[in-house]
Amino acid sequence: MLHIQTQPAQAKRAELHADYIDLQILLAGEETIHDGLYNSARQCDEWHREEDYQLCDDITQRQQVTLRAGMFAVFFPGEPHKPGIQGDEPGGIKKAVVKVKACLV
């Protein structure tokens, strides 16, 4: 379980994974997540293969979803997502992130 403080979008970076599906479940608070389609991440760092993630500065044709307690979002391999973005003001959230090996699905 994660307890984090939401931040402005410009303070966050997008992440993506190659081998795992990310299931992000919001348990308390409210957060916005910026996301994109497969292969829409730009200006990316090198892959961290052992930890299965890559950080990126931009998502082309970015979309967003706002989660409230009890809601969840699913991100498949190659889909960039930038969680933990604040609404009007920063706030504390509690969430669970479940990683599912994509080859098991």
Side-chain angles (χ1 to χ4, degrees), residues 4 6 22-35 64-75 81-87 91-97:
I4 63 172
T6 59
D22 239 12
L23 171 59
Q24 300 202 7
I25 307 162
L26 193 63
L27 303 171
E30 180 176 303
E31 77 172 319
T32 296
I33 301 175
H34 290 177
D35 64 286
Q64 70 180 44
V65 62
T66 298
L67 300 182
R68 291 174 186 82
M71 298 173 75
F72 66 92
V74 179
F75 302 101
H81 48 286
K82 185 191 295 191
I85 298 172
Q86 72 184 44
I93 61 171
K94 182 167 58 169
K95 68 188 304 183
V97 177

Side-chain angles (χ1 to χ4, degrees), residues 1-39:
M1 191 159 342
L2 301 171
H3 294 269
I4 63 172
Q5 190 77 8
T6 59
Q7 300 175 3
Q10 61 270 23
K12 309 282 292 172
R13 297 185 77 198
E15 64 183 61
L16 61 148
H17 310 285
D19 299 325
Y20 286 87
I21 298 167
D22 239 12
L23 171 59
Q24 300 202 7
I25 307 162
L26 193 63
L27 303 171
E30 180 176 303
E31 77 172 319
T32 296
I33 301 175
H34 290 177
D35 64 286
L37 299 174
Y38 181 85
N39 203 27

Side-chain angles (χ1 to χ4, degrees), residues 32-102:
T32 296
I33 301 175
H34 290 177
D35 64 286
L37 299 174
Y38 181 85
N39 203 27
S40 64
R42 300 289 182 270
Q43 302 168 8
C44 298
D45 296 348
E46 290 187 31
W47 273 100
H48 297 264
R49 291 285 173 207
E50 287 186 24
E51 296 89 5
D52 188 47
Y53 77 91
Q54 184 178 39
L55 297 177
C56 303
D57 291 329
D58 190 34
I59 302 171
T60 61
Q61 298 179 356
R62 178 184 60 79
Q63 305 168 64
Q64 70 180 44
V65 62
T66 298
L67 300 182
R68 291 174 186 82
M71 298 173 75
F72 66 92
V74 179
F75 302 101
F76 287 88
E79 295 179 344
H81 48 286
K82 185 191 295 191
I85 298 172
Q86 72 184 44
D88 292 333
E89 298 289 326
I93 61 171
K94 182 167 58 169
K95 68 188 304 183
V97 177
V98 179
K99 304 232 179 243
V100 179
K101 188 85 168 171

